Structures are given as structure tokens and as C-alpha cells.
Amino acid sequence: MHEDAFKPLRFDPYSDEEMRQRAMEYFEKMRTRRSVREFSTRDVPREVIENCLRTAGSAPSGANMQPWHFVVISNRELKRKIREAAEEEERAFYDHRAGDEWLEALAPLGTDAQKPFLEDAPWLIVVFLKKFTFDEQGKKHKNYYTAESVGIACGFLLGALHWAGLATLTHTPSPMKFLNEVLERPKTERAYMIIPVGYPSRDAQVPVITKERLGDIATFKT
Ligand code: IYR
């Protein structure tokens, strides 16, 4: 993975006017994304998922180690197994693992231990974080800023899927160790999140939430 060579950067700036327009358009698109928990079983072409994963794979990462692996599942039996194992963890979470404060914070989302979307969504993308990379000689290399890198790749992926017109959820049953077993991934990888992908069911509902305003999330020093 040694890339010591350099090449000129191709960079074609837009005019200020185009840039203003594009920034606004992107915001208007991305602000319509919602986490969906009620999925239709309608199929999504594999090629669309593949290209969104290519976008995820283009994300920046610590020392360009690309410390991610995506397991992409449409197999019914695997989805059923994942749902079963996830619901078992979630029952423990909602019964006793989560404190009252956490449950209170979740109450407006209306979530519970039932996770039908893990079977209904046509695709599940399970994102793994690689603490180490093995080179061609089998030598183990430590990866850097893995959590940040995988988070960025997931952001790229969620953006790409939304742009393509698909619904997603960021699902993190805890703990997610069972995914290494079910999906036969090595111990050096840690399941980071499950992203169900597909169409919302016809009658899907989402909680009414608000996002903070720019002045509350950003401070400008000019
Ligand atoms: N993993 C649980 C609980 C949960 C936790 C957070 I933080 C959320 O934003 C949503 C849910 C579940 O999926 O139900």
C-alpha cells in the first residue's frame, strides 16, 4: 500500500454563484433524510448498493489505511439470524441494561426491542472497523484514527444512499459481537453499525424532531 508518487491535483472551481447554488441544493436534499424503522420488502438493485459502497470507499482515512469492511446482505436466512441475535441483545437493553435516563432520551423515538426492519429491508450493510490491516506478506499493521475514519465512510455512505433515493437507518444493537460470528469476520474487526437499506413501507412514520439552528451548532470567528 506504498504510494510515494505525486501527481497534479485536478480541481475545477465553480463560480461563487454556482457554489452558493450547489451548497444550498445539497442542504435541501440532505435535510430531507430521516432514519427509517419501517421498511418495505421491495427489492433494490445490487448495482445501486455497489456504487454507494464505492462512494464510502472513497472516504479519507488515517494514513489512507481504509480501516473498514462492508458485509452486504440480502440473504433471508442471514437476515433472520441477525434479527434474532439483535433482538436478544435489545431485550436485555430495554429490560435492564439501559438506565432510566437513556430510556427517557429514547422515548420520543418510540423504539423498542422489536427489529422487524432487519428482515424487511432488502439489504443490510454491516460495517466493520478494522483495528489492523494485514499486508501481502501477512504482516500486521496498526490502523490509525479508525473510529473517525469509519464514521466518515459511514457518512459518505448514508449521503450516497439518500442521494440515490433510498431510505436508511443507523442501527447499533449493543453489544454487536454476535455479528463477527454470524458473518464470519475475524477478531481483529469490530462491528461498527448496521445500515438497513431500502424503501420505507407505505405507512412508515417518523418521529417529529428538530435540528439545531446554525447559530447554535457553529461559532464563527472572522
Ligand atoms: N440500540 C437500541 C437503542 C437505541 C439507542 C440509541 I443512542 C438510538 O438513537 C436509538 C436506539 C435500539 O436500536 O433500539
Side-chain angles (χ1 to χ4, degrees), residues 28-216:
E28 289 297 351
K29 179 66 194 175
M30 291 310 293
R31 74 185 304 195
T32 65
R33 185 200 166 274
R34 294 299 311 263
S35 284
V36 167
R37 293 184 174 79
E38 294 161 288
F39 279 82
S40 150
T41 57
R42 181 178 165 193
D43 278 340
V44 168
R46 171 175 165 152
E47 187 197 340
V48 174
I49 304 295
E50 286 178 347
N51 281 330
C52 293
L53 287 165
R54 287 186 170 100
T55 296
S58 77
S61 62
N64 192 36
M65 296 304 255
Q66 305 166 57
W68 43 66
H69 187 81
F70 304 93
V71 180
V72 190
I73 304 154
S74 65
N75 181 280
R76 279 176 191 283
E77 182 56 20
L78 270 179
K79 287 197 287 181
R80 193 191 60 74
K81 276 192 187 158
I82 290 170
R83 176 182 180 181
E84 212 162 80
E87 287 185 339
E88 195 178 319
E89 297 293 0
E90 295 287 34
R91 278 193 294 274
F93 174 85
Y94 284 96
D95 281 356
H96 55 267
R97 240 187 249 141
D100 285 345
E101 192 178 344
W102 198 344
L103 291 180
E104 235 165 75
L106 291 179
L109 303 183
T111 55
D112 59 31
Q114 304 253 76
K115 304 298 174 193
F117 51 76
L118 291 173
E119 282 188 278
D120 293 339
W123 295 100
L124 300 181
I125 301 177
V126 183
V127 184
F128 285 88
L129 177 158
K130 293 162 63 174
K131 289 300 288 180
F132 303 95
T133 296
F134 295 87
D135 65 20
E136 280 104 81
Q137 283 79 254
K139 189 171 174 316
K140 193 169 166 179
H141 297 269
K142 192 174 136 45
N143 291 332
Y144 304 100
Y145 295 101
T146 51
E148 293 84 348
S149 303
V150 178
I152 294 167
C154 286
F156 273 39
L157 179 56
L158 293 169
L161 290 162
H162 180 65
W163 177 254
L166 291 166
T168 52
L169 175 65
T170 52
H171 182 46
T172 52
S174 170
M176 290 194 276
K177 256 195 157 65
F178 68 88
L179 289 165
N180 286 71
E181 216 165 285
V182 176
L183 301 175
E184 302 176 292
R185 299 307 303 172
K187 280 200 201 70
T188 48
E189 295 183 4
R190 166 169 77 79
Y192 184 86
M193 89 173 38
I194 306 177
I195 305 179
V197 183
Y199 295 92
S201 65
R202 204 187 291 277
D203 50 1
Q205 301 233 47
V206 290
V208 176
I209 58 169
T210 56
K211 297 291 182 185
E212 289 188 289
R213 286 148 21 143
L214 180 64
D216 298 321

